[in-house]
């Protein structure tokens, strides 16, 4: 807390590198202190015995870090806050299945990054949040989710995919600016990760997977139209529409029989020729 206060003082004195460094250090010290207070490996009798309280306090640290980062326009502070936030579930894990609390917390973090994305072009923060979300989701899934009911992990996957479908385009749509290569790449990674994991979850239910592909196709079509109207960015528009058509092409072989596939692809060919012109 003293480090945060000193950081604020030096930022007020226009000593920005020192001030930002002290705030970043203060955030990391708070994460470390809370972990030490809770972990049975540090003290024989933990200072904080409640996992819920430790989790809540770490949430407060994350929110404080993001607020200070936006206030001082400092991506290093935001980066440390989200990095600490992503490490929090690992630090306070008891080894039991805490799917809904974990993913609720993770979704809250990602929504915070989404809110920042409307105002700041902090690409490193977006990539960190995406990478952390993917790792934590996969870590939970391969430990607890493989034999679990299908609906809950699929619903959480859809929620995370939706957030990261919006994050790359949020700032550009709001400010009507062209998308960068990194933003388009993040959209492609999110689409690939989302559909591949959905395929794994629905490995023996191809018809349900077909509808997932159709929903994703519609979402990217809507996004492509929105990008075209708001940014006039031809490359980003074509990239998003290409994603839409790719998922639309996947739908028929998953849903129809042989004749249905032929007829559906024939109809899609007409659409592709039109888009080509």
């Amino acid at each position: 807390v003293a480090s945060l206060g000193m950081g604020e003082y030096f930022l007020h004195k226009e000593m920005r590198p020192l001030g930002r460094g002290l705030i970043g250090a203060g955030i990391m010290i708070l994460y470390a202190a809370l972990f030490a207070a809770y972990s049975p490996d540090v003290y024989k009798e933990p200072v904080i015995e409640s996992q819920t309280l430790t989790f809540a306090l770490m949430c407060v640290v994350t929110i404080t870090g993001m607020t200070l980062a936006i206030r001082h326009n400092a991506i290093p502070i935001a980066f440390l806050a989200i990095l600490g936030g992503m490490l929090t579930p690992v630090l306070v894990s008891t080894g039991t299945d805490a799917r809904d609390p974990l993913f609720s917390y993770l979704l809250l973090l990602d929504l915070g990054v989404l809110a920042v994305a409307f105002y700041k072009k902090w690409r490193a923060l977006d990539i960190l949040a995406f990478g952390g979300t993917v790792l934590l989701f996969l870590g939970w899934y391969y430990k607890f989710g493989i034999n679990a009911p299908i609906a809950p992990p699929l619903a959480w996957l859809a929620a995370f995919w939706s957030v990261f479908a919006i994050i790359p385009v949020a700032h550009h749509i709001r400010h009507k600016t062209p998308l960068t290569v990194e933003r388009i790449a993040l959209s492609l990674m999110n689409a690939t990760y989302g559909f591949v994991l959905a395929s794994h979850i629905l490995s023996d239910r191809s018809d349900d997977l077909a509808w997932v592909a159709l929903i994703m196709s519609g979402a990217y079509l809507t996004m492509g139209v929105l990008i075209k109207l708001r940014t006039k960015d031809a490359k980003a528009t074509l990239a998003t529409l290409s994603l839409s058509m790719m998922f639309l092409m996947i739908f028929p072989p998953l849903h129809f029989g042989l004749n249905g596939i032929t007829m559906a692809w024939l109809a899609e060919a007409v659409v592709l020729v039109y888009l080509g012109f």
Side-chain angles (χ1 to χ4, degrees), residues 5-268:
M6 290 169 62
E8 284 286 314
Y9 173 79
F10 285 116
L11 283 170
H12 183 70
K13 294 293 184 181
E14 300 298 325
M15 301 173 69
R16 296 188 180 278
L18 178 58
R20 291 173 177 175
L22 285 168
I23 288 177
I27 291 168
M28 298 309 289
I29 289 169
L30 284 171
Y31 280 124
L34 288 170
F35 170 66
Y38 172 76
S39 174
D41 297 327
V42 179
Y43 298 107
K44 292 182 180 179
E45 296 183 2
V47 179
I48 303 176
E49 296 183 357
S50 170
Q51 182 189 28
T52 303
L53 177 59
T54 307
F55 209 66
L57 290 173
M58 288 188 170
C59 286
V60 171
V61 174
T62 303
I63 293 169
T64 301
M66 292 299 289
T67 303
L68 290 172
I70 295 171
R71 177 183 174 185
H72 297 298
N73 193 29
I75 188 173
I77 297 174
F79 195 89
L80 287 173
I82 293 301
L83 178 61
M86 290 294 173
L87 290 173
T88 296
V90 180
L91 296 177
V92 301
S93 174
T94 58
T96 58
D97 184 3
R99 181 193 65 213
D100 292 338
L102 169 63
F103 290 158
S104 297
Y105 167 77
L106 195 56
L107 185 61
L108 180 64
L109 276 181
D110 292 338
L111 288 173
V113 174
L114 173 60
V116 172
F118 280 100
Y119 300 94
K120 303 292 183 183
K121 291 193 294 184
W122 290 348
R123 289 168 290 186
L125 191 66
D126 300 342
I127 294 171
L128 173 66
F130 177 73
T133 300
V134 169
L135 290 175
L136 287 171
F137 191 97
L138 291 177
W140 171 85
Y141 181 76
Y142 285 108
K143 188 172 183 179
F144 300 108
I146 292 179
N147 297 318
I150 289 173
L154 194 63
W156 281 114
L157 176 63
F160 293 128
W161 169 80
S162 300
V163 171
F164 285 102
I166 300 170
I167 282 178
V169 302
H171 186 275
H172 300 277
I173 288 177
R174 182 172 185 267
H175 295 277
K176 300 182 180 180
T177 57
L179 274 71
T180 59
V181 174
E182 295 90 341
R183 302 288 193 178
I184 297 173
L186 183 57
S187 292
L188 291 172
M189 287 190 292
N190 183 52
T192 303
Y193 154 74
F195 190 74
V196 168
L197 191 52
S199 302
H200 190 64
I201 295 172
L202 297 170
S203 56
D204 56 347
R205 301 176 65 168
S206 61
D207 195 53
D208 290 338
L209 185 61
W211 291 110
V212 169
L214 191 62
I215 291 169
M216 292 179 73
S217 176
Y220 284 114
L221 176 62
T222 304
M223 192 177 298
V225 172
L226 189 59
I227 290 171
K228 179 178 175 60
L229 293 176
R230 291 287 296 177
T231 70
K232 310 297 183 185
D233 186 340
K235 290 182 179 179
T237 300
L238 288 175
T240 311
L241 291 178
S242 296
L243 276 175
S244 175
M245 290 307 303
M246 180 187 74
F247 286 116
L248 187 60
M249 295 294 287
I250 291 172
F251 175 76
L254 291 172
H255 183 66
F256 295 113
L258 185 60
N259 293 334
I261 294 172
T262 305
M263 294 302 295
W265 274 348
L266 177 62
E268 289 178 4

